[in-house]
Amino acid sequence: RGTVGVLQHKALDNLKKSGLRCEKSDFRNDLSVFVCSAYSDKHAEEIHNFVAEGGGLLIGGHAWYWAQSHKGGNPLTEFAGNKILNKMGLSLLPETIGGGRFKAPVPSQTGKDSYHFCHLLQRFAAHVTEGEDLTKNEEQCLKKFGKDCASFLKMQAHDRCSYAQVLSTLTHVLKKSGMPQVCDTCPVKSPKDHLLLNMGSEVFKVCPNPDSLLPYLINENPLLPVVYNHRVTLNVNTADREEWVSTGLYLSQGMKTYMAMPGEIVNKGWMVQIGCQTDYLKAEELKRAPNVHEQFPIDSEMMQVWNLWGGLIYLVAPPKTQVGGVQVIVQVAVPAPYYKSGEDDVIADWAMLRTAPSPWAELEFENIILTVPSDTIRNLERPDLLAALWDSIMKGIADLAAKPHKFPRKERFVADVQISHGWMHAGYPVMMHKASAEALVNLEQAKTKGLWGPIHELGHNQQRDPWEFRPHTTECTCNIWSVYIHEEVGFSIQAHGDVASAKRKSRLEEFVKGGRQLSKWEVWVALETYLQLQERFGWDAFKKVFAAYHKISNYPKDNGGKMNLYAETFSKTVGMNLCGFFKAWSWPIEKATEEKLANLPTWVDHPMVQFG
């Protein structure tokens, strides 16, 4: 019945249609209802008092963008809207759901099989501590319950009775049951063990005495030799993406350390990261916990960091950052086998460095960093020779892409016991199974058996939208780099069995026999198109084409348009009209493209002519 104060114009326009007495207004105490967004906590305390005394609040917004742009932060406690809402028993989560209509449950109509957080908490506690059986529906709800537990614990409302009670119950459950000791030989499969595994790390982060809980979470945690007050010098000049800076140090499981930060990187978007395994796992069978790395925003000159799962220590530099000669001091940590090209004496330093006690090792070369289990490098005597191989590989990748040899950001590989998808997958870092780690660091094996898979993933990292025709070329054009590197760097075997002449011929004939359907033009079949171009025009033509694309900013977004642009670009690069060749591969070449290239000599004897 009073005045509705509305902070946003669009909301005001809509609310005026309701007939309510609305006006544009910042917060003031004489309002009946205050309408605002969740992106400012400017009047948080005043709003709390206002609502407690009977005022109305209509607030809207989402927390997912804040979470994405504040890595390592806690949206439930730090996001502006939650600073207002939390005291009212509400929180905006960073997760999203699909659009739709969602009916709120009616308490009087819910039975014992309906999901209810507090009810299921007590039932699960009784299941673990007293052996009571869960119903089938309760078991099916455990995955959701685990997510809700994690969200609830992130509130860190230690001064609230309900929070303390839930945390106490979960701590008791873990002390009674212990946490599953997950590994590749003891995978976690059951809903109960999934929940305990997820819960362990979340409770460890927020319980008042984590050290007392640690023995119930980690059964075997041997003491490793440490170094004290280790200095890490930062010389960083990042491009347009964040970059991990290796420290050569490791924290054991649950181990804590203080880090002294130079003022130049405090509150500048830098983070400390503990752990190299950043894949989040959603598999039904887990060989490690779903999330085993931690990030801490660098917001003070002295900070304490830890990770239940342990891990290598990194400093994460934000994009477009330049810092030189400043030092970070790590109070106590475990030394890791860490080799950096140009900074270590091969004979003297590495002989000792490779024996460092950390279970993870890193080899940092000119343009790539390999993170592998330490066991795989204990017998590596000449990292400089391995560096020479990888330097030549990365130089080749840059050459084909028509880019400077010095990468803006070094590529990274991390070998893990389990990854989020595939046998390997691209990204920063490139993730691979630890069974493949030996191939990265064994010089003789690399030269005699090749590195198709790793270079395939590095090829993925080179793919660019203007000349990518998804889904056709997603698993195709990355292989151009695999073929090139194996031919040009000097591996002593054929690049891959699937590029053998007999297989190429068989696939090509099958494609033609099947009606040359563009829907079938993918992976190896699609690669054949590029191989035919390479065999006629050479690798130099590809380099020139990629160079030409560096200057193209305005390009079609549909596959048809992009394929026509590629045909035009390649034709002009080699000085020959290739429209007939691409049409023979069922590319949708337009008349306009043919007209643009009409003055060039036609490629009349291309490999597809034989099929008519």
Side-chain angles (χ1 to χ4, degrees):
R1 293 174 183 158
T3 300
V4 177
V6 186
L7 200 55
Q8 279 81 20
H9 282 291
K10 285 187 178 180
L12 179 63
D13 293 341
N14 283 319
L15 285 169
K16 276 184 174 178
K17 299 173 186 176
S18 67
L20 298 172
R21 191 193 314 160
C22 303
E23 63 182 59
K24 179 83 167 62
S25 172
D26 200 348
F27 176 80
R28 60 179 203 263
N29 280 311
D30 64 333
L31 296 173
S32 174
V33 177
F34 180 51
V35 181
C36 63
S37 80
Y39 308 125
S40 170
D41 58 352
K42 180 180 175 184
H43 299 287
E45 190 173 349
E46 295 169 278
I47 291 173
H48 291 153
N49 295 332
F50 173 71
V51 172
E53 294 169 4
L57 173 69
L58 175 59
I59 182 169
H62 57 74
W64 63 264
Y65 180 78
W66 187 97
Q68 287 185 3
S69 56
H70 293 77
K71 290 183 179 179
N74 184 348
L76 271 77
T77 59
E78 299 170 36
F79 174 61
N82 284 335
K83 292 180 181 180
I84 294 174
L85 289 170
N86 282 353
K87 286 196 174 182
M88 304 168 193
L90 299 168
S91 287
L92 291 168
L93 300 180
E95 290 80 15
T96 61
I97 58 174
R101 294 183 179 182
F102 300 88
K103 292 184 178 180
V106 180
S108 61
Q109 296 177 6
T110 56
K112 68 175 184 178
D113 283 337
S114 300
Y115 177 81
H116 188 281
F117 179 78
C118 292
H119 171 72
L120 190 52
L121 172 63
Q122 298 307 319
R123 292 282 295 127
F124 183 72
H127 171 62
V128 171
T129 61
E130 300 171 24
E132 291 186 13
D133 292 333
L134 296 176
T135 66
K136 186 176 180 180
N137 185 70
E138 287 172 335
E139 283 192 351
Q140 292 174 342
C141 290
L142 289 183
K143 184 178 288 188
K144 172 175 170 54
F145 176 64
K147 290 180 179 178
D148 289 347
C149 280
S151 297
F152 186 88
L153 292 173
K154 284 184 174 70
M155 293 180 191
Q156 298 187 19
H158 294 281
D159 59 339
R160 304 288 163 166
C161 179
S162 59
Y163 184 89
Q165 189 174 14
V166 170
L167 178 56
S168 175
T169 301
L170 293 175
T171 304
H172 176 66
V173 166
L174 286 166
K175 286 187 174 181
K176 186 72 175 178
S177 68
M179 188 175 68
Q181 302 301 292
V182 63
C183 64
D184 51 352
T185 56
C186 300
V188 161
K189 301 178 183 178
S190 72
K192 171 188 171 183
D193 284 346
H194 266 256
L195 178 53
L196 291 170
L197 187 61
N198 281 308
M199 192 191 301
S201 57
E202 296 299 333
V203 172
F204 182 76
K205 292 175 192 175
V206 298
C207 70
N209 189 0
D211 291 338
S212 68
L213 183 61
L214 188 59
Y216 298 94
L217 305 180
I218 306 295
N219 289 354
E220 296 182 14
N221 196 10
L223 288 174
L224 300 176
V226 298
V227 292
Y228 294 96
N229 297 322
H230 184 89
R231 293 176 179 268
V232 179
T233 302
L234 298 179
N235 291 296
V236 173
N237 187 3
T238 60
D240 57 355
R241 292 174 291 180
E242 72 174 28
E243 186 174 322
W244 300 3
V245 181
S246 302
T247 65
L249 299 173
Y250 171 85
L251 286 184
S252 297
Q253 296 174 105
M255 180 180 177
K256 298 179 179 180
T257 190
Y258 281 96
M259 296 178 69
M261 301 297 177
E264 290 90 334
I265 68 172
V266 175
N267 290 320
K268 298 290 176 60
W270 286 69
M271 291 183 292
V272 175
Q273 178 174 302
I274 312 298
C276 57
Q277 305 149 278
T278 52
D279 264 8
Y280 184 82
L281 305 181
K282 297 181 180 179
E284 294 299 318
E285 180 175 304
L286 294 173
K287 296 180 180 179
R288 67 157 170 84
N291 184 50
V292 291
H293 78 288
E294 290 289 344
Q295 290 185 329
F296 301 84
I298 298 177
D299 53 12
S300 64
E301 293 190 5
M302 182 64 70
M303 56 189 295
Q304 190 180 48
V305 297
W306 67 92
N307 182 7
L308 172 63
W309 308 105
L312 292 169
I313 304 175
Y314 300 94
L315 293 155
V316 183
K320 299 178 181 177
T321 295
Q322 190 168 355
V323 169
V326 299
Q327 289 190 329
V328 172
I329 302 173
V330 183
Q331 179 200 34
V332 57
V334 177
Y338 175 57
Y339 172 86
K340 187 171 184 178
S341 294
E343 293 189 4
D344 299 305
D345 183 279
V346 175
I347 305 301
D349 294 344
W350 179 245
M352 180 168 292
L353 286 171
R354 66 177 172 171
T355 67
S358 159
W360 286 95
E362 287 199 322
L363 305 171
E364 182 169 349
F365 305 141
E366 185 180 7
N367 281 311
I368 195 168
I369 302 166
L370 310 177
T371 307
V372 295
S374 295
D375 291 346
T376 60
I377 57 85
R378 297 293 188 201
N379 297 322
L380 176 64
E381 295 182 353
R382 295 293 302 274
D384 58 323
L385 298 181
L386 183 66
L389 173 66
W390 277 104
D391 288 349
S392 63
I393 289 172
M394 301 307 291
K395 179 177 178 288
I397 287 172
D399 279 341
L400 182 58
K403 294 179 178 178
H405 289 167
K406 178 65 176 174
F407 279 49
R409 176 178 69 176
K410 296 183 182 186
E411 296 278 18
R412 280 184 176 271
F413 271 92
V414 171
D416 197 356
V417 66
Q418 187 176 6
I419 64 177
S420 59
H421 58 277
W423 186 246
M424 298 181 191
H425 71 74
Y428 182 80
V430 176
M431 296 297 300
M432 66 193 306
H433 287 267
K434 70 175 186 179
S436 301
E438 181 74 15
L440 294 181
V441 299
N442 187 314
L443 189 62
E444 190 61 30
Q445 182 178 327
K447 286 187 172 181
T448 57
K449 295 186 177 180
L451 287 165
W452 180 278
I455 299 169
H456 169 99
E457 302 305 339
L458 292 172
H460 272 306
N461 284 355
Q462 293 299 322
Q463 289 174 323
R464 296 295 179 267
D465 188 56
W467 44 264
E468 273 297 289
F469 321 129
R470 297 181 180 87
H472 304 290
T473 56
T474 303
E475 295 299 327
C476 161
T477 50
C478 53
N479 286 332
I480 297 174
W481 272 267
S482 289
V483 176
Y484 176 77
I485 294 300
H486 281 77
E487 287 187 4
E488 298 298 306
V489 171
F491 291 95
S492 59
I493 62 161
Q494 186 181 54
H496 193 285
D498 272 299
V499 295
S501 298
K503 286 201 173 184
R504 287 179 57 187
K505 184 174 183 291
S506 174
R507 277 195 307 267
L508 181 54
E509 290 175 349
E510 187 178 345
F511 176 71
V512 173
K513 187 178 179 180
R516 310 191 199 200
Q517 300 176 52
L518 190 59
S519 61
K520 301 291 185 183
W521 187 77
E522 57 186 9
V523 194
W524 299 107
V525 173
L527 182 63
E528 182 64 25
T529 303
Y530 298 95
L531 293 179
Q532 289 178 352
L533 288 168
Q534 188 277 325
E535 286 170 346
R536 173 61 177 83
F537 300 105
W539 288 117
D540 195 52
F542 278 85
K543 295 175 185 179
K544 289 178 179 177
V545 168
F546 287 131
Y549 268 97
H550 292 327
K551 301 173 183 177
I552 297 174
S553 57
N554 187 20
Y555 62 91
K557 298 301 185 282
D558 63 296
N559 278 349
K562 288 194 287 187
M563 292 169 107
N564 276 271
L565 177 60
Y566 191 87
E568 179 186 343
T569 304
F570 212 112
S571 294
K572 289 180 177 178
T573 297
V574 299
M576 187 174 285
N577 186 339
L578 308 182
C579 287
F581 169 73
F582 287 114
K583 287 172 75 174
W585 276 104
S586 293
W587 282 31
I589 302 301
E590 299 169 359
K591 188 173 181 179
T593 303
E594 295 183 272
E595 290 173 353
K596 288 179 185 177
L597 304 173
N599 62 328
L600 294 175
T602 302
W603 186 14
V604 293
D605 60 344
H606 61 76
M608 302 301 285
V609 170
Q610 61 180 306
F611 301 108

